[in-house]
């Protein structure tokens, strides 16, 4: 099956720093989402981005589908950005009914 | 409400008990997914409904797990004769279209602890 690899697994930042999280996937996809799982376990939708670039405030994301990777940029990080960031993809061909396949996540800790 | 809701938020069961977990998807969403998230891992797919039809149950770990969505809206995930390895967070997600091409939205999850 498709493999989804996220890096780095852990990241510690000082408040105000910028960071880039990476998601590599092993096969063609037609759905890619980035989530932030807060300390209470809620998965918060950040981006639905099967291709191209999107921005939302201090966050932006880029997916290069032909090269099978996506990047999540966090600028001017805040302590509330702490949590686990997941990348999830859906395969681009049969056998899948649409379920997302998740990476193992990047655990981000932002220190004041 | 505007989002996906799940109940209960927390459930403690003694080994061997049956449990039922409820999911209320976003109104009008055709697709409904159940995922299981073990501690420190990403969510893993359990089963998928398109309206009331269960089209994929390939991720259910054993025949003790059963899901239904009889009227194409609310869904229930039932686990019979719970085991300690069933302890996890169970997440429900919904999306507007069938087939999972569009954005999925997740509920807050039910944290199940089996003693």
């Amino acid at each position: 099956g498709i493999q989804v690899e996220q890096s780095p697994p852990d990241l510690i930042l000082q408040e105000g720093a910028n960071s880039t999280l990476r998601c590599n996937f092993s096969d063609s996809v037609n759905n890619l989402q980035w989530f932030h799982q807060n300390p209470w376990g809620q998965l918060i939708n950040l981006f639905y981005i099967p291709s191209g670039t999107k921005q939302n405030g201090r966050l932006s994301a880029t997916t290069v589908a032909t090269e099978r990777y996506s990047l999540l940029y966090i600028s001017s990080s805040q302590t509330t950005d702490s949590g686990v960031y997941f990348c999830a993809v859906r395969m681009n061909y049969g056998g899948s009914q649409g379920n997302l396949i998740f990476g193992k996540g990047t655990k981000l800790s932002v220190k004041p | 409400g505007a989002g996906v809701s799940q109940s209960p938020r927390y459930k403690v069961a003694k080994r061997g008990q049956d449990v039922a977990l409820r999911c209320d998807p976003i109104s009008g969403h055709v697709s409904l997914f159940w995922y299981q998230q073990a501690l420190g891992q990403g969510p893993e797919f359990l089963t998928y409904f398109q309206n009331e039809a269960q089209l994929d149950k390939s991720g259910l770990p054993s025949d003790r797990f059963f899901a239904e969505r009889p009227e194409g809206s609310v869904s229930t995930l039932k686990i019979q004769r719970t085991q300690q390895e069933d302890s996890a967070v169970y997440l429900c997600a919904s999306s507007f279209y069938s087939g999972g091409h569009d954005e999925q939205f997740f509920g807050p999850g039910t944290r199940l602890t089996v003693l």
Side-chain angles (χ1 to χ4, degrees):
Chain A
I2 192 169
Q3 303 297 314
V4 181
E5 295 183 355
Q6 292 187 243
S7 60
D10 296 278
L11 185 59
I12 300 174
L13 297 176
Q14 205 66 34
E15 196 168 29
N18 303 329
S19 63
T20 301
L21 281 58
R22 187 176 181 101
C23 173
N24 292 334
F25 41 95
S26 61
D27 214 327
S28 178
V29 301
N30 60 16
N31 180 354
L32 189 146
Q33 292 184 241
W34 282 97
F35 297 92
H36 174 212
Q37 190 163 45
N38 65 21
W40 296 270
Q42 175 74 56
L43 278 170
I44 299 165
N45 289 40
L46 298 178
F47 294 101
Y48 168 70
I49 187 167
S51 63
T53 297
K54 291 186 177 179
Q55 181 158 6
N56 184 4
R58 296 181 296 104
L59 303 182
S60 64
T62 295
T63 297
V64 183
T66 53
E67 297 187 19
R68 300 182 183 170
Y69 73 89
S70 183
L71 302 174
L72 176 68
Y73 305 96
I74 305 174
S75 64
S76 304
S77 57
Q78 301 176 357
T79 56
T80 52
D81 294 333
S82 296
V84 182
Y85 289 79
F86 286 105
C87 167
V89 304
R90 177 192 181 273
M91 291 191 296
N92 197 26
Y93 52 84
S96 166
Q97 290 288 353
N99 57 284
L100 293 172
I101 299 165
F102 284 76
K104 294 188 178 216
T106 292
K107 184 176 181 180
L108 175 64
S109 299
V110 181
K111 306 297 184 184
Chain B
V4 179
S5 60
Q6 293 186 244
S7 62
R9 291 294 314 278
Y10 303 91
K11 178 69 179 178
V12 178
K14 292 183 179 178
R15 190 172 54 185
Q17 283 184 330
D18 298 348
V19 299
L21 313 180
R22 177 188 169 104
C23 171
D24 282 85
I26 295 172
S27 179
H29 277 199
V30 168
S31 293
L32 186 146
F33 303 84
W34 284 97
Y35 294 84
Q36 180 190 59
Q37 186 174 21
L39 191 64
Q41 302 294 316
E44 292 189 351
F45 169 72
L46 293 177
T47 187
Y48 164 66
F49 289 87
Q50 179 181 305
N51 294 309
E52 69 280 1
Q54 188 176 20
L55 298 186
D56 189 348
K57 51 183 181 180
S58 62
L60 296 177
S62 78
D63 58 7
R64 297 185 295 105
F65 286 70
F66 172 76
E68 59 184 6
R69 194 186 184 196
E71 297 179 359
S73 178
V74 171
S75 177
T76 303
L77 176 67
K78 298 179 179 178
I79 308 174
Q80 297 176 324
R81 305 180 304 280
T82 52
Q83 304 294 316
Q84 284 189 323
E85 61 263 29
D86 300 335
S87 295
V89 175
Y90 291 86
L91 295 164
C92 175
S94 70
S95 67
F96 185 77
Y97 295 108
S98 62
H101 294 274
D102 59 332
E103 192 171 5
Q104 294 185 24
F105 297 89
F106 281 76
T110 295
R111 182 176 298 275
L112 173 65
T113 302
V114 182
L115 303 177

